[in-house]
Amino acid sequence: MRFQLLGPLSIAEGHDVVVLKPSKPSSLLAALLIHPGTVVSTGYLLRALWDDDQPATARAALQSCVLRLRRIFVKYGVAGDVIEAVPGGYRMNVDSDTLDLVRFRTLVRAADGAGDAEGELYRLKEALPLWQGPLLANVPSLMLHRDEVPGLTEERLRTLERACDIELSLGRCRQVLVDLWEAARRHPGRERFAEQLIEALYRTGRQSEALAEYRAVKGRLKEELGIDPGPSLQRLELAILRGDDLGSLALDQAPQPLEIAAPGRPAAPVAVPATVPAPDAGGRPRGDGAPAADRPVPPGARALPAPPVPPALPVPSVPSFTGRAAERADITARLTGCSPDTALVVLSGAPGIGKTALARQCAHDTQDAFPGGVFVVAMTHPDGAPLTADEAMAHLPRPGTGDGRVLLVLDDVTTADQVRPLLPAVPGGAVIVTSRRGLAGLMATHGGSVHRLSTLDPAESRQLLTAALGAERVAAEPAAAGELADVCGHFPLSLRIAAARLLTRPGLSVEDCVRWLAEDPSARLSLADDPRMSVPQVFGRALHRLEPRWQDAFHRLGDQEGLLVPAHALGDSAEAEEALERLADAGLLEEGPPGPYRIHLLLKIYARRQARERNTGEAATVPH
């Protein structure tokens, strides 16, 4: 007897499958199976059954629902102890033989350790058919569909992307076309599927179809979202127009060229050595922790020399950099101190607060102390996916081969696990890490110092505007310049955006700019020609890295009054407390005083706008 979660919720025995009817017990069972083998709290189960509309007798009704579920188990021959009551909640005792989700994840992990592309692909192709149609189609829980289904769907799509990447790397472009046609049509928002389809079409001699597919994707993105295709798609189009031979390596069963961004310049195609394992779901080399030279070359593959590490280039000063004097002095002292250990500095804080600028400025200030070079590595891809340790290592000199101490700048780190494998590469050197998270786990294992950046003070904001706009223009409207800094929330990113708008419109007064921005700062602090210079997009990317339930918690803060966030702002439950901690760790909240938390003005305006759009969308879906 086994449970099937990856599709309509069902119970199967051999070839006989019973699809459960939509009911509270079905929602309860799904909520438990989504977290196999772990204690699922009572609060979580209550939300799965009733969302925010819980009856006064909800806990008693939950116990009744558990009894009904056990009766269903008896009816279909499922052992009664498979669902276990434990302190604080319930647990489902299932394994890879009794739950398809566990089986799927086991096969994907086995693919990680396969050691060769064929073995990896075999296990992925064994895992993917476990998905049998729309996920939880017969489960009526609104909370599960809102908070859990997107994450599970993402697991499947990343696995499918990964399998298609391996097929392409093995030169099996014709075989993978059917899967890619379906995936690209079913998931038009995932550019990676479109990129894989276009590559497969081109490499099978269908250049005109490949270009037509690219233009269709470009037109849809422009019409629906007002954006251009991502850098990878644009480079692929250029390669097709030039007639580049993307498939020459595939003819010898060797890996395809992949894009690796070199420090200090845009990504360009470089040949990945055949000793690198098959790429992951995002088209990026997937590391297994072993040095490239120690990994086996797949049968029939043609080994290529590893790409050289780009030389370290001088780090320029950050234009118009001002303020942060105390932080700069402390960081400089730590980086240049004489210690045999690696000096580690973490810069954390809200998105747009100026972490990257401070890191680069400190690298510029101290580069003479690092004769081995300064290496700046962006730790996320353009789509927001984190780099693996192997990908980051491709930009670094091998230990013992440099000419002295090395400074490593790891920008936009998402987890401590991204950093730890890289520290041995800079023995006796120094590392600056920028992250929206505090990375307390990294501090616990490796020590170092953390600088949690806040907004600029009024004097520093004025200095930044003066440096960017010129002293004469700021002096002509001193009061308006102060108001502009207030509207920008004293965020370095928003101040630079506002300054750029004024520089490109010399006839626009500072006062008029303030008046226009103040009407909707969370939307108007954006430059049309550069999506990176956009407050709403930067905030949105930070928010979308969180689970849906934490995103929802942030949106709910938009309904609160003031900038102080009391401990009970989201309720008195343990999950409400965890939500505030998650938001604080992600840089979307700050600790007091006064009070346990506070939210920056711009983030509060953004949260309020998101809450308003959410409420409008919900109202539009209510039947009249």
Side-chain angles (χ1 to χ4, degrees):
M1 189 66 64
R2 66 186 185 278
F3 298 101
Q4 295 182 170
L5 182 71
L6 304 179
L9 183 62
S10 55
I11 300 175
E13 176 66 35
H15 294 292
D16 297 327
V17 179
V18 177
V19 177
L20 300 181
K21 296 179 180 179
S23 63
K24 294 294 186 190
S26 296
S27 294
L28 173 62
L29 177 58
L32 292 168
L33 292 175
I34 286 172
H35 304 281
T38 62
V39 177
V40 183
S41 70
T42 299
Y44 178 90
L45 295 175
L46 292 176
R47 289 193 304 279
L49 295 178
W50 291 283
D51 207 30
D52 293 329
D53 189 23
Q54 300 175 16
T57 59
R59 291 182 178 272
L62 173 60
Q63 295 176 356
S64 175
C65 194
V66 172
L67 292 175
R68 290 170 60 193
L69 183 57
R70 284 180 169 143
R71 293 192 192 102
I72 293 174
F73 287 171
V74 171
K75 179 179 178 181
Y76 295 111
V78 179
D81 60 356
V82 72
I83 179 171
E84 179 185 4
V86 296
Y90 295 86
R91 175 170 53 209
M92 284 289 291
N93 297 307
V94 290
D95 55 25
S96 60
D97 293 326
T98 54
L99 178 61
D100 55 0
L101 177 61
V102 177
R103 175 68 176 159
F104 173 81
R105 289 171 174 169
T106 300
L107 288 168
V108 172
R109 284 195 298 271
D112 291 341
D116 65 279
E118 291 286 4
E120 182 179 8
L121 183 61
Y122 177 83
R123 288 164 177 81
L124 295 180
K125 287 196 168 185
E126 189 179 356
L128 286 167
L130 294 173
W131 293 76
Q132 300 287 328
L135 198 62
L136 303 185
N138 57 329
V139 174
S141 172
L142 295 176
M143 186 274 271
L144 294 181
H145 283 279
R146 181 186 66 234
D147 296 348
E148 300 291 358
V149 168
L152 292 171
T153 302
E154 180 68 17
E155 287 189 56
R156 173 184 173 271
L157 295 180
R158 281 190 175 273
T159 302
L160 178 57
E161 287 177 348
R162 181 172 157 189
C164 292
D165 273 325
I166 298 173
E167 296 259 43
L168 290 172
S169 73
L170 295 173
R172 299 171 185 171
C173 301
R174 296 186 188 280
Q175 295 92 320
V176 80
L177 267 175
V178 173
D179 289 338
L180 288 175
W181 275 116
E182 181 182 6
R185 295 300 180 262
R186 283 181 176 270
H187 307 284
R190 296 182 77 92
E191 287 190 36
R192 182 58 190 153
F193 284 139
E195 185 179 348
Q196 290 171 321
L197 174 59
I198 293 167
E199 180 182 346
L201 288 170
Y202 176 65
R203 287 172 55 184
T204 51
R206 298 156 72 173
Q207 180 179 16
S208 60
E209 290 181 67
L211 289 173
E213 185 68 21
Y214 173 83
R215 288 168 186 141
V217 172
K218 181 177 181 180
R220 187 186 69 252
L221 291 174
K222 182 65 71 175
E223 180 179 351
E224 296 179 2
L225 302 175
I227 61 175
D228 291 322
S232 294
L233 266 176
Q234 292 185 40
R235 285 192 289 271
L236 180 58
E237 182 210 22
L238 183 60
I240 294 173
L241 291 172
R242 289 195 308 241
D244 291 350
D245 186 8
L246 300 180
S248 59
L249 292 177
L251 297 177
D252 291 325
Q253 298 293 292
Q256 278 298 107
L258 297 175
E259 295 165 354
I260 298 179
R265 63 175 185 265
V270 297
V272 175
T275 50
V276 174
D280 72 2
R284 297 171 290 277
R286 181 181 52 78
D288 60 4
D294 297 336
R295 301 188 192 118
V297 178
R302 177 162 53 86
L304 298 177
V309 174
L313 302 175
V315 181
S317 176
V318 176
S320 308
F321 188 90
T322 57
R324 311 291 192 197
E327 290 91 343
R328 285 175 70 181
D330 183 75
I331 293 170
T332 297
R334 289 183 180 275
L335 296 181
T336 58
C338 297
S339 171
D341 299 324
T342 299
L344 178 61
V345 176
V346 173
L347 306 181
S348 66
I353 207 70
K355 302 180 291 296
T356 299
L358 177 58
R360 288 180 174 270
Q361 186 62 40
C362 290
H364 168 79
D365 295 343
T366 61
Q367 58 188 324
D368 290 344
F370 298 97
V374 178
F375 297 84
V376 181
V377 183
M379 295 298 287
T380 53
H381 291 275
D383 63 357
L387 263 70
T388 65
D390 276 359
E391 289 176 299
M393 198 70 75
H395 308 313
L396 308 180
R398 295 181 181 178
T401 62
D403 299 321
R405 294 183 73 211
V406 168
L407 173 60
L408 178 59
V409 180
L410 304 178
D411 190 32
D412 198 16
V413 165
T414 60
T415 67
D417 287 338
Q418 277 187 293
V419 178
R420 291 189 182 105
L422 305 181
L423 297 181
V426 284
V431 180
I432 305 176
V433 173
T434 75
S435 177
R436 292 162 192 155
R437 300 185 179 279
L439 302 182
L442 182 63
M443 292 295 100
T445 57
H446 288 78
S449 67
V450 178
H451 292 268
R452 182 84 173 185
L453 302 187
S454 188
T455 53
L456 301 176
D457 62 37
E460 290 173 328
S461 295
R462 185 182 179 87
Q463 291 170 7
L464 193 156
L465 290 174
T466 300
L469 294 174
E472 183 176 347
R473 194 165 185 185
V474 172
E477 299 180 84
E483 293 175 7
L484 179 61
D486 291 339
V487 169
C488 292
H490 299 276
F491 270 65
L493 173 65
S494 55
L495 287 165
R496 290 183 180 278
I497 291 171
R501 179 174 293 277
L502 286 166
L503 284 171
T504 55
R505 293 168 173 81
L508 179 66
S509 70
V510 177
E511 183 178 358
D512 287 341
C513 183
V514 169
R515 188 180 302 113
W516 181 76
L517 287 175
E519 292 177 1
D520 193 355
S522 68
R524 293 181 174 177
L525 281 168
S526 180
L527 299 180
D529 62 343
D530 190 345
R532 295 169 301 175
M533 299 297 287
S534 168
V535 166
Q537 290 206 33
V538 169
F539 286 175
R541 285 196 295 270
L543 187 61
H544 291 155
R545 287 184 183 177
L546 302 178
E547 296 179 28
R549 54 178 169 163
W550 310 135
Q551 295 180 34
D552 182 65
F554 177 77
H555 294 158
R556 286 161 58 194
L557 291 179
D559 299 327
Q560 303 288 324
E561 293 296 328
L563 299 180
L564 299 182
V565 181
H568 60 274
L570 299 175
D572 296 322
S573 67
E575 182 166 329
E577 181 179 346
E578 182 182 2
L580 294 177
E581 278 294 302
R582 296 273 186 167
L583 294 176
D585 184 57
L588 299 173
L589 287 180
E590 295 292 332
E591 294 184 357
Y597 302 101
R598 58 186 172 85
I599 185 169
H600 288 300
L601 176 62
L602 272 188
L603 281 163
K604 179 59 178 288
I605 295 172
Y606 177 75
R608 185 180 298 125
R609 180 184 179 87
Q610 293 292 303
R612 185 168 61 247
E613 292 178 354
R614 177 198 63 192
N615 295 336
T616 301
E618 290 175 353
T621 60
V622 174
H624 298 286

